[in-house]
Amino acid sequence: MRIALGVTYRGGAYHGWQSQPGGATVQDHLESALSQFAAAPIHTVCAGRTDTGVHGLNQVVHFDTDRVREPFSWLRGTNRYLPADIAVQWCRTVPDDFHARNHARGRRYAYILLESPMRPSIDAGSVGWSFRRLDGEAMREAAAHLIGEHDFSAFRSSECQAASPVKLMREIGVRRCGAYWRFDFEAVAFLHHMIRNIMGCMVAVGSGNRPSGWMAEVLASRDRDCAAPTFSPDGLYFLGPRYDAHLGLPMRTAGFDALPGAADDGLPAA
């Protein structure tokens, strides 16, 4: 039997998603909890790996098991063994050929940025920060240069393991929500640190340090050294993958409601 789960987590305490020998990753904690509840080893496959400090609002995973449990039991039973900052939000039985990563038609992220003369305190670790005033129109003009299929080598980490730097960026949204800025990204797939490297450039443009056309120059250079430094992971959220509608998998979890602009994000409820 193959089962899919939707998982939310705060990434600040973990060394990213992917399992590591030290066991300090989200995947390690999730698989330990599932295995304890099922009383058998369980291994998961995720829709999209996240880095250290990056949060997940609808990370989708699948796993195989011969244990027969009701979906509600998988939720309550697994969450019993998880730390407070990781929780399973939904559970579905899926076809045996379903694959959380390979069947994703796209992936969505949001970056939440506080614009304030003072650094964040209560929401420290949950938002990025700019002490300079930002120009939304300039950032939208810069973002427009990235829409479409491009070689994103200029925004690629040296540790990236992707087979190709060519990715299809479908959408970048920029909007202000009070003291916060929300940047929405959707692509078929992303490179390692790609969004954080783009965010460094967006803030450079928004603060007036660079013109909006500079983004096109960085993209065309295919040279990481031409781009801005990698931005903080604190405000980056993996919103989850998109799947074909016939699978009936939720597009969002309760965690979306805590993000600025969540009321009008255009995503259907679970």
Side-chain angles (χ1 to χ4, degrees):
M1 177 189 309
R2 182 157 292 187
I3 293 175
L5 304 176
V7 185
T8 57
Y9 51 89
R10 288 192 174 275
Y14 305 103
H15 296 161
W17 169 266
Q18 189 172 11
S19 181
Q20 296 181 15
T25 71
V26 180
Q27 184 179 17
D28 289 322
H29 283 277
L30 177 62
E31 291 184 351
S32 174
L34 286 166
S35 298
Q36 288 181 76
F37 174 64
I42 288 183
H43 303 287
T44 62
V45 175
C46 74
R49 292 178 293 180
T50 52
D51 296 330
T52 299
V54 177
H55 317 293
L57 290 187
N58 193 25
Q59 174 68 271
V60 177
V61 306
H62 80 257
F63 64 91
D64 295 322
T65 181
D66 59 3
R67 300 297 196 262
V68 179
R69 303 282 193 276
E70 292 296 323
F72 184 78
S73 296
W74 281 109
L75 292 178
R76 286 296 184 90
T78 304
N79 285 338
R80 174 185 175 187
Y81 297 104
L82 284 170
D85 50 5
I86 305 174
V88 179
Q89 299 291 333
W90 56 262
C91 174
R92 300 283 193 277
T93 300
V94 291
D96 290 342
D97 63 351
F98 170 78
H99 196 283
R101 182 176 63 254
N102 295 344
H103 283 180
R105 301 301 187 187
R107 291 160 179 83
R108 299 162 297 132
Y109 284 84
Y111 196 99
I112 307 302
L113 179 69
L114 172 67
E115 180 192 307
S116 170
M118 302 302 171
R119 63 172 174 81
S121 55
I122 292 175
D123 50 6
S126 299
V127 298
W129 174 48
S130 173
F131 62 86
R132 295 187 175 92
R133 297 190 65 177
L134 300 175
D135 182 335
E137 189 56 36
M139 292 189 290
R140 293 183 192 97
E141 291 176 1
H145 295 294
L146 304 179
I147 302 302
E149 187 173 70
H150 303 286
D151 182 328
F152 283 93
S153 291
F155 306 99
R156 182 181 192 177
S157 164
S158 61
E159 301 175 357
C160 183
Q161 299 177 358
S164 170
V166 177
K167 301 297 175 187
L168 174 60
M169 182 74 77
R170 290 175 174 157
E171 181 179 357
I172 302 177
V174 181
R175 51 183 157 152
R176 183 158 194 160
C177 309
Y180 299 88
W181 289 90
R182 174 168 172 163
F183 301 80
D184 283 277
F185 299 85
E186 180 168 350
V188 174
F190 292 88
L191 301 169
H192 188 217
H193 286 177
M194 179 173 161
I195 295 177
R196 291 172 57 193
N197 291 333
I198 290 174
M199 280 301 306
C201 294
M202 293 285 274
V203 172
V205 170
S207 61
N209 288 337
R210 297 284 190 171
S212 59
W214 174 67
M215 188 73 84
E217 297 175 11
V218 172
L219 179 67
S221 75
R222 303 181 182 180
D223 184 353
R224 177 69 190 92
D225 291 337
C226 292
T230 305
F231 212 65
S232 165
D234 293 352
L236 185 56
Y237 294 79
F238 180 45
L239 301 184
R242 289 192 184 275
Y243 296 110
D244 289 339
H246 76 271
L247 291 169
L249 299 181
M251 290 285 290
R252 62 185 291 164
T253 67
F256 279 87
D257 299 330
L259 290 185
D264 60 347
D265 62 12
L267 296 174

